[in-house]
Amino acid sequence: MSEARNTRSVRLAVAQTPVRDDPRDADALRESGRQVRALMRMASARGARIVHFPEGAICFPHKLVMSVEGPDAVGPADWDRCQWPVLQAELTAIAELARELRLWTVIASVHRLTGPNRPHNSLYVVSDRGEVVTRYDERLLSKTKVSYMYSPGISPVTFDIDGVRFGCLLGMEIHYPELFAEYEQLDVDCVLLSTTGVSPGNAAAQAQGHAAVNSYWVSFSVPTQHSTAPSGVIAPNGDWLERCPADGSPSVAVVNLDDSSEAAAEAVAYARPWRRESRAGAYAEHRVTDPRSEDRTAAF
């Protein structure tokens, strides 16, 4: 009998926030920052150790707002339009609150690069000391994002909290099962997926499938604009454990990531180890040489 891989538990909060799409609007950026910090306080009050926010939590720059050929046509993004000092001030305030609350915070933002390179679309991982300990950059971008807006990232990212390992994915990467399989190979316990879209392809259902196939937790964070398929946490058996309200309200759902729980134990202790064993060649010694096996037209 295999033992559960992780005997520790981490309390995770997943958030849904309104997403604003004009990085030229300093007041909107500040309001997004205030909303994020309010939800951080809510998560902390409910005992969370880590809080996870959706893509565009501070701002998700619209392709037409940023386009040099806009507002009626998509073209290369003019990133000089972004209120970078305001964005940086809001992220700094979020990091300071993370330190104050002793709350790990995974927050999405545009990550500026050295000109003329386009920025990354990123997830910052801010520790409970208020320090950026790593950053995930979206790798498999939409055609518009990669053609006109962002530089793609190059690698997966993992980080550990109290012995529990997390991986990060972003945007349309929900549609790429190989990225979720990669994190299974990297031995993560939970994938944090932040996105602004739930269609096409029913992203929430796909997230459940990725959790069940890989036998790990998935935190699914979306904006309030998509709360008909609200943010939530999926157990390693593919079941939703907790979800935010579907009424469009900013909120958090809080779950203990505990591999010994009823929703996780069987998937973690049996399904995941057996899949690894089978992929490693468990069937080789049981294969046979038999003409009735080799002849695929053999009758009954």
Side-chain angles (χ1 to χ4, degrees):
M1 181 185 300
S2 299
E3 297 295 330
R5 298 179 317 111
N6 154 33
T7 58
R8 298 186 181 183
S9 176
V10 167
R11 193 160 174 82
L12 164 72
V14 58
Q16 61 185 29
T17 62
V19 167
R20 298 166 176 89
D21 64 9
D22 190 347
R24 304 169 301 179
D25 189 338
D27 289 339
L29 294 178
R30 294 187 183 102
E31 181 56 32
S32 290
R34 284 191 288 269
Q35 183 69 75
V36 165
R37 292 188 290 277
L39 292 178
M40 289 172 67
R41 292 185 179 94
M42 184 185 298
S44 178
R46 294 184 60 184
R49 183 83 167 98
I50 174 174
V51 61
H52 167 217
F53 287 92
E55 182 182 27
I58 304 298
C59 183
F60 187 67
H62 195 284
K63 58 188 177 184
L64 294 176
V65 170
M66 302 303 292
S67 172
V68 295
E69 299 173 9
D72 299 319
V74 178
D78 177 7
W79 285 103
D80 288 339
R81 298 178 183 182
C82 181
Q83 291 281 346
W84 291 109
V86 178
L87 177 61
Q88 291 163 350
E90 293 306 313
L91 290 169
T92 297
I94 288 166
E96 290 173 351
L97 183 61
R99 176 183 53 79
E100 178 185 328
L101 298 175
R102 305 294 291 176
L103 177 69
W104 286 74
T105 301
V106 180
I107 182 73
S109 183
V110 179
H111 179 72
R112 195 176 192 179
L113 300 183
T114 306
N117 295 318
R118 296 171 181 162
H120 291 310
N121 185 37
S122 302
L123 282 173
Y124 292 108
V125 179
V126 181
S127 76
D128 58 356
R129 296 184 178 183
E131 301 166 345
V132 176
V133 295
T134 191
R135 187 192 71 251
Y136 178 73
D137 306 319
E138 187 180 6
R139 293 175 282 167
L140 298 184
L141 303 157
S142 70
K143 187 173 182 178
T144 297
K145 280 180 175 178
V146 76
S147 298
Y148 300 115
M149 300 188 72
Y150 299 104
S151 298
I154 60 173
S155 64
V157 163
T158 65
F159 63 98
D160 290 22
I161 302 176
D162 302 337
V164 176
R165 176 162 293 177
F166 293 87
C168 299
L169 291 175
L170 189 55
M172 68 172 295
E173 292 179 333
I174 183 67
H175 302 304
Y176 295 95
E178 62 269 29
L179 298 184
F180 288 85
E182 177 182 45
Y183 276 124
E184 194 281 330
Q185 293 167 8
L186 291 172
D187 209 31
V188 304
D189 300 293
C190 177
V191 168
L192 307 175
L193 170 74
S194 298
T195 185
T196 57
V198 296
S199 64
N202 196 337
Q206 288 188 72
Q208 286 185 273
H210 294 314
V213 165
N214 293 290
S215 298
Y216 54 41
W217 304 83
V218 171
S219 179
F220 178 75
S221 186
V222 298
T224 57
Q225 288 95 324
H226 295 300
S227 64
T228 52
S231 296
V233 180
I234 307 163
N237 66 359
D239 290 344
W240 291 100
L241 279 196
E242 188 76 27
R243 301 188 80 172
C244 291
D247 59 5
S249 60
S251 56
V252 294
V254 183
V255 166
N256 289 326
L257 304 185
D258 182 356
D259 280 354
S260 65
S261 66
E262 183 178 351
E266 185 173 359
V268 171
Y270 297 103
R272 187 167 180 178
W274 173 245
R275 289 183 190 127
R276 287 183 168 182
E277 189 176 342
S278 64
R279 288 175 178 137
Y283 305 105
E285 64 181 285
H286 301 285
R287 290 177 182 146
V288 298
T289 300
D290 187 311
R292 287 187 57 78
S293 172
E294 296 165 2
D295 182 358
R296 299 192 183 279
T297 64
F300 317 114

